[in-house]
Amino acid sequence: MIQLNQHTPVRDLESIREGDRIVLRNGKSDEVVKIQVVCNKGQKQYFYKLRHDGTVFIAK
C-alpha cells in the first residue's frame, strides 16, 4: 500500500500503477483503477480514480 497526501514526492506519484492500493491521510484505502496526469501551466495534476471511493487529486 502506498500512502498519499499533498507532500508525497513526485517520484512516488509517478510510480503508482493501476491495481495498486493506496491509503489516504484520512485513513481510507482503495484500489487505483485509472490514472490521469495532466500538465497545466508548469504544474502536474495527478488524478487517481479509485474502485469504490471516487477520485484523488494531487497537484505538484
Side-chain angles (χ1 to χ4, degrees):
M1 281 201 211
I2 302 167
Q3 280 200 325
L4 284 185
N5 60 45
Q6 287 300 110
H7 305 291
T8 302
V10 172
R11 73 176 187 282
D12 291 347
L13 295 174
E14 294 285 342
S15 71
I16 296 173
R17 301 288 177 247
E18 293 177 8
D20 288 349
R21 291 191 60 80
I22 60 173
V23 177
L24 304 176
R25 186 175 66 184
N26 61 8
K28 291 183 181 181
S29 67
D30 207 349
E31 179 184 349
V32 177
V33 294
K34 185 176 180 183
I35 300 170
Q36 183 176 7
V37 179
V38 177
C39 295
N40 187 14
K41 298 181 182 176
Q43 181 182 55
K44 276 193 172 180
Q45 300 173 341
Y46 297 85
F47 296 88
Y48 300 100
K49 173 75 173 126
L50 306 178
R51 182 166 304 283
H52 299 106
D53 249 350
T55 302
V56 175
F57 167 73
I58 297 178
K60 289 284 183 174

